Amino acid sequence: MKPIGWVRKAQGQTSIQIAPEYQDALLGVEELEFIWVLYWLDRNDSPEQRAMLQVHPRGNPANPLKGVFATRAPVRPNLIGLSRCRVLSVQGTVILIDTIDAFPDTPVIDIKPYRDGR
């Protein structure tokens, strides 16, 4: 799998920096209110993390044990993260967004339009 871009966070702003070879794929993104951003949870990529199938939500042992498919836990068999992001602007290869549940420099693997809850 090859990233199409990376999460960037600096000076109070959050953006998706798209690799230059994918700039043409951004046509029309500026017209969208929201996008789905799929990203790779690269900081959890180990055999041990991938093998974890149950967690206490939010890492709190007081929370009842749940299967990872019932949580937003970053440990998963396939480390794909998903966030709905508001598009603030598109400038060149940068999509300025409101926020994302990902660390800076997280690899982005795809972007899809979000329309009417779909």
Side-chain angles (χ1 to χ4, degrees), residues 14-74:
T14 303
S15 63
I16 307 297
Q17 174 69 57
I18 301 298
E21 63 265 32
Y22 299 112
Q23 183 170 0
D24 288 350
L26 291 171
L27 182 64
V29 171
E30 73 283 353
E31 299 168 11
L32 301 172
E33 184 177 4
F34 292 98
I35 55 175
W36 289 113
V37 179
L38 291 92
Y39 46 94
W40 192 254
L41 301 166
D42 60 324
R43 289 167 182 88
N44 291 317
D45 203 351
S46 72
E48 297 79 23
Q49 299 274 31
R50 285 177 176 241
M52 293 178 69
L53 300 179
Q54 296 182 340
V55 296
H56 294 279
R58 301 197 175 270
N60 184 346
N63 291 329
L65 200 60
K66 300 262 185 182
V68 295
F69 298 151
T71 73
R72 293 188 49 87

Side-chain angles (χ1 to χ4, degrees), residues 1 4 7 16 35-44 50 68 71-85 100-103 106-112:
M1 193 171 338
I4 61 155
V7 173
I16 307 297
I35 55 175
W36 289 113
V37 179
L38 291 92
Y39 46 94
W40 192 254
L41 301 166
D42 60 324
R43 289 167 182 88
N44 291 317
R50 285 177 176 241
V68 295
T71 73
R72 293 188 49 87
V75 293
R76 323 191 69 75
N78 288 305
L79 303 170
I80 298 170
L82 173 70
S83 288
R84 185 186 80 151
C85 303
I100 191 168
D101 188 19
F103 291 118
T106 296
V108 174
I109 56 175
D110 204 357
I111 294 171
K112 299 184 182 295

